[in-house]
Amino acid sequence: MPQAELSVLAQERPLRILLVNAGEPDALTWSGLVQPLRQAAKILGPERLHVDVRSPDKFTSDAQRHWHLVLLAADEAQSGLKPANFRALVERCRAAPFWGGVGAGVLWLAEAGALNGVRTAFPWSLYADADSRADQAIFTPHLYEIDGNRLTCCGGAASVDFALTLIDIIFGSNVQAPVKELLCVDRVRGKEERQRVALQARFGTLQPKLTEAVTLMEANIEEPLSTDEIAQLAGVSRRQLERLFKQYLGSLPSRYYLELRLNRARQLLLDTNYSIVQVGLMCGFSSGSHFSTAFGALFGNTPREERQRKLAE
């Protein structure tokens, strides 16, 4: 399980995280990433967590130093300003046990082939800028992804959720909680939550049938449609619909639809007082056992445990 793999970093003393800033220092993507981690470092002390910041030039020239986690970050607006020494930059990133990109950094890593076959939270506003090599990554519409030892985040405000989630996975909620309080963050969005305009920004008019199919799914959560019904309403064959989902979303329509419903259920569990049975029914699960099993398979805990976690915060 990716989160379990990442949690091994808690054993490092001190854990050394490097943030490579290839963009503007006042950009939301950068500040949202660095501030939570710096606050965590203050709470934990230098014997447990050390957060370094480097420019791309200083990172590639400092070949003697070792970091456990390296993240390359730049705001989406800086996507056209790829560092001149980028090939060396990627090789230095690969030397870390865990590494990845945030914002425009995701685009650059994907274009370099460093994310081939990896579930990647791609900033949809940059899809038009991506070249054909980036298509080897498995783009998802999520805010961030942790796939093995590679981490990606779409940037912007999601950088805050991403950084707070890293703190929780590695050091636990007892460290995340005071950081949230310091930053006045009430709720951390999960990695499964979607960028709100992901499909429209990514596909525009290029894949209207895929966008239409997802829109149908989003509008029919309580009474789910079958794959055949969605294909018919979107005006394509089932086989064509499955091909579109596989090619552009890395999933089958049925799986994507299930994850969409489960993410809605998780949001309701965290943000409302509806009973667990009510939440299951509102998200298209007529059987409580089916709801619990599917929820556990995706999130690693049951709906009841998710609700209890909310109450314990």
Side-chain angles (χ1 to χ4, degrees), residues 4-40:
E5 293 174 14
L6 187 61
S7 66
V8 303
L9 292 179
Q11 302 170 13
E12 302 293 343
R13 291 290 191 278
L15 170 63
R16 298 185 65 87
I17 296 178
L18 174 65
L19 306 177
V20 182
N21 184 14
E24 297 295 329
D26 59 349
L28 178 58
T29 291
W30 173 250
S31 60
L33 177 68
V34 69
Q35 291 303 328
L37 291 169
R38 280 179 169 167
Q39 293 297 334

Side-chain angles (χ1 to χ4, degrees), residues 2-313:
Q3 292 192 4
E5 293 174 14
L6 187 61
S7 66
V8 303
L9 292 179
Q11 302 170 13
E12 302 293 343
R13 291 290 191 278
L15 170 63
R16 298 185 65 87
I17 296 178
L18 174 65
L19 306 177
V20 182
N21 184 14
E24 297 295 329
D26 59 349
L28 178 58
T29 291
W30 173 250
S31 60
L33 177 68
V34 69
Q35 291 303 328
L37 291 169
R38 280 179 169 167
Q39 293 297 334
K42 289 180 182 179
I43 293 169
L44 291 164
E47 69 281 359
R48 290 196 64 192
L49 174 60
H50 189 82
V51 178
D52 288 331
V53 172
R54 293 280 192 280
S55 67
D57 288 340
K58 289 185 177 180
F59 175 41
T60 52
S61 63
D62 192 0
Q64 302 303 315
R65 188 156 309 184
H66 172 75
W67 289 276
H68 302 101
L69 169 61
V70 175
L71 294 170
L72 172 64
D75 196 67
E76 296 91 313
Q78 277 85 50
S79 62
L81 304 176
K82 182 188 296 185
N85 58 342
F86 188 69
R87 181 174 296 181
L89 194 63
V90 174
E91 291 306 310
R92 289 287 286 122
C93 287
R94 289 181 187 272
F98 293 86
W99 55 281
V102 180
V106 179
L107 170 68
W108 300 335
L109 291 173
E111 289 184 338
L115 300 175
N116 289 356
V118 175
R119 288 180 63 86
T120 301
F122 192 85
W124 297 135
S125 61
L126 300 182
Y127 183 74
D129 300 330
D131 63 25
S132 59
R133 290 171 293 180
D135 289 341
Q136 298 302 311
I138 304 172
F139 294 155
T140 77
H142 299 155
L143 298 179
Y144 50 95
E145 290 282 358
I146 302 172
D147 191 347
N149 72 332
R150 274 167 286 187
L151 297 74
T152 53
C153 173
C154 66
S159 299
V160 178
D161 304 283
F162 177 55
L164 287 168
T165 297
L166 294 182
I167 293 167
D168 184 39
I169 294 171
I170 299 170
F171 297 108
S173 59
N174 60 324
V175 178
Q176 187 203 58
V179 176
K180 286 170 58 181
E181 186 173 352
L182 285 166
L183 299 177
C184 299
V185 174
D186 180 52
R187 183 176 79 87
V188 179
R189 292 177 292 175
K191 71 183 186 66
E192 301 85 4
E193 294 194 36
R194 298 175 59 237
Q195 300 173 53
R196 290 192 178 275
V197 294
L199 290 171
Q200 291 81 356
R202 178 179 179 186
F203 301 120
T205 59
L206 297 177
Q207 295 298 333
K209 297 300 183 183
L210 181 59
T211 302
E212 186 176 353
V214 174
T215 301
L216 284 166
M217 291 176 179
E218 292 175 334
N220 293 275
I221 296 293
E222 187 169 349
E223 297 183 7
L225 303 170
S226 69
T227 300
D228 288 331
E229 288 173 324
I230 294 170
Q232 182 177 8
L233 289 169
V236 294
S237 68
R238 178 184 178 121
R239 184 174 180 179
Q240 184 180 0
L241 185 68
E242 291 175 342
R243 181 183 60 78
L244 287 171
F245 269 79
K246 189 65 175 178
Q247 180 176 352
Y248 293 102
L249 296 177
S251 180
L252 289 172
S254 56
R255 179 63 188 176
Y256 185 92
Y257 203 177
L258 177 62
E259 291 187 3
L260 189 67
R261 291 159 52 209
L262 289 169
N263 278 306
R264 182 71 58 84
R266 185 173 185 267
Q267 186 176 358
L268 289 172
L269 288 169
L270 293 173
D271 296 343
T272 74
N273 293 319
Y274 290 119
S275 71
I276 293 173
V277 173
Q278 286 176 309
V279 169
L281 291 172
M282 292 169 68
C283 296
F285 296 93
S286 57
S287 164
S289 60
H290 181 209
F291 175 41
S292 182
T293 300
F295 193 95
L298 181 60
F299 299 117
N301 58 349
T302 66
R304 188 172 302 280
E305 290 168 339
E306 188 75 19
R307 175 59 59 80
Q308 290 173 344
R309 184 172 69 85
K310 172 200 173 184
L311 296 174
E313 291 181 351

